[in-house]
Amino acid sequence: MKILSHILLIFSMLLILIGVYFDLIAQNQSLQDKFYGAGSLLFFFVTIPIFLISRRNSKSWEKYRWNPEEFKRQQDSK
């Protein structure tokens, strides 16, 4: 999953850079907008969710779970 997110990140940045190329060098407005849009959509709607899902699955959420016994133990120790 981590490798996939890296590959998608590189691909989306490549699409945006191709859009910059068409903006600065080729002066082709229609291709520029398509590459900017495709790179941005890929980045925000595919790459970031895959990255966040892969990060969420690698964490242990036990320390954030509500445990009344642990709460009582902490209150008694104060």
Side-chain angles (χ1 to χ4, degrees):
M1 194 73 105
K2 185 177 179 181
I3 295 171
L4 177 65
S5 66
H6 281 78
I7 291 171
L8 288 173
L9 175 68
I10 291 169
F11 188 65
S12 64
M13 291 298 141
L14 182 66
L15 286 174
I16 293 173
L17 288 175
I18 291 171
V20 169
Y21 168 77
F22 281 118
D23 185 22
L24 298 176
I25 308 292
Q27 301 294 324
N28 192 341
Q29 183 70 28
S30 65
L31 282 177
Q32 168 198 346
D33 292 340
K34 289 178 184 175
F35 280 108
Y36 278 148
S40 299
L41 288 174
L42 179 69
F43 181 72
F44 287 109
F45 291 115
V46 178
T47 306
I48 290 179
I50 287 177
F51 171 74
L52 292 175
I53 289 169
S54 68
R55 294 286 297 184
R56 183 191 68 192
N57 289 339
S58 64
K59 286 189 175 182
S60 174
W61 293 97
E62 290 299 319
K63 63 182 178 180
Y64 302 110
R65 181 178 280 167
W66 170 254
N67 189 354
E69 296 162 358
E70 183 66 31
F71 182 72
K72 280 184 179 180
R73 192 173 321 135
Q74 289 177 356
Q75 292 298 322
D76 293 338
S77 67
K78 287 184 180 180

